[in-house]
Amino acid sequence: MVVLSAARWLRSRLTDRFWRVQEVLKYARHFRGRKNRCYKLAVRSVRRAFVRSTKARREKKRFLRALWITRIEAASLEHGLKYPAFISNLVKSQVELNRKVLADLAIYEPKTFKSLAALAQRRRQEGFLAALGDGKEPEGIFSRIVHHH
Amino acid sequence: VAKTSLTSPPWPEVPKLPDPVEEAKYHAEVVQKVNGMISAGEYGRLFAVVHFASKQWKVTSEDLIMMDNVLEAECGDRIRLEKVLMVGADDFTLIGRPLLGKDLVRVEATVIEKTESWPKINMRFWKRHNYQRKKIIRNPQTVLRINTIEIYPCLS
């Protein structure tokens, strides 16, 4: 005889429900409360955790930059300079170090940071003299621009 | 005459800079001293600030660097890092404006491994709109080991 549809006892049943549930619960094992055990609560928490981690990856860069700036400010205040004066004078003296490296130098190479602060202070004073004296006085030595070819 | 609020200008008094001729003599002396120290080899461990893969790294010898991109060099290739912003030892530092010369510093590195990062999960979700997208991102990574940093006494 010709059978066109499958017999009634051959139902298509889900056999790997356990592993599908474990895929979600494995990310929730370190959570607090019932959301580390119960699937319905865990799904919501895991979803929020993933979304928060994606957003945090973008904010981590802002947060780290603020941290470096705070550290550089503290270190330059130890040497008697404020952060805007330090950074602007370093940039004017053509020293292109970024804030991450400046913070690392302030922590691990204090003598180098002191010399950078002295350079910034000297450039600052030459800037003041150039602005206030105005012409006919000798140009500052540290204000000269280096040309690379 | 009594001092009033308008006797002196409101900006702080600028101290006079030292004499340029004396300054030049002092600078030449310092440069000669540092040159002597470098040629005599009286420095311990050198550190360098290198600009590589659009990031700046503070590097010493024998340390590892990991960058989040692909490098077109096989594992085990020796590489010379050219953009050196600063080099220093215990007693002296050479600050580049902005880069130091290639005849002054030499930083060598070896490519150790080229892998992918751990699978990072990118998820977007809007509530009450039945919208969620999940993507797993694996970035290629390269690990370099800095072998040596050398300086040559060619200051002027």
Side-chain angles (χ1 to χ4, degrees), chain A residues 54 57 96 98 122 148, chain B residues 23 56 90 97 121-122:
Chain A
T54 30
R57 247 177 270 140
E96 308 274 338
N98 66 358
R122 171 62 188 261
H148 298 273
Chain B
E23 271 253 85
Q56 294 180 10
D90 193 26
R97 300 172 72 165
I121 300 187
N122 222 1

Side-chain angles (χ1 to χ4, degrees), chain A residues 27 47 50-51 53-54 57 92-98 100-101 104-105 108-109 111-112 115-116 119 122 125-126 128-129 132 138 140-146 148, chain B residues 11-12 14-18 20 23-24 27 47 49 55-58 85-86 88-93 95-99 120-125 132 134 136-137:
Chain A
Y27 290 109
R47 189 187 295 152
F50 285 160
V51 167
S53 71
T54 30
R57 247 177 270 140
K92 285 178 198 170
S93 329
Q94 285 179 297
V95 174
E96 308 274 338
L97 295 165
N98 66 358
K100 169 177 121 184
V101 154
D104 290 340
L105 289 177
Y108 294 110
E109 317 275 340
K111 297 188 216 170
T112 310
S115 58
L116 284 171
L119 175 65
R122 171 62 188 261
Q125 282 165 0
E126 286 178 6
F128 288 157
L129 279 179
L132 299 171
I141 301 180
F142 284 85
S143 326
R144 280 186 228 143
I145 310 256
V146 180
H148 298 273
Chain B
W11 51 80
V14 181
K16 293 191 66 68
L17 290 180
E23 271 253 85
H27 287 332
F47 78 88
V49 174
K55 288 179 261 314
Q56 294 180 10
W57 312 81
K58 179 191 163 300
L85 294 153
M86 189 201 254
D90 193 26
D91 295 318
F92 61 88
T93 5
I95 307 180
R97 300 172 72 165
L99 293 176
K120 299 186 185 174
I121 300 187
N122 222 1
M123 185 143 189
R124 297 186 293 173
F125 173 73
Q132 56 174 345
K134 181 171 161 184
I136 303 187
I137 296 185

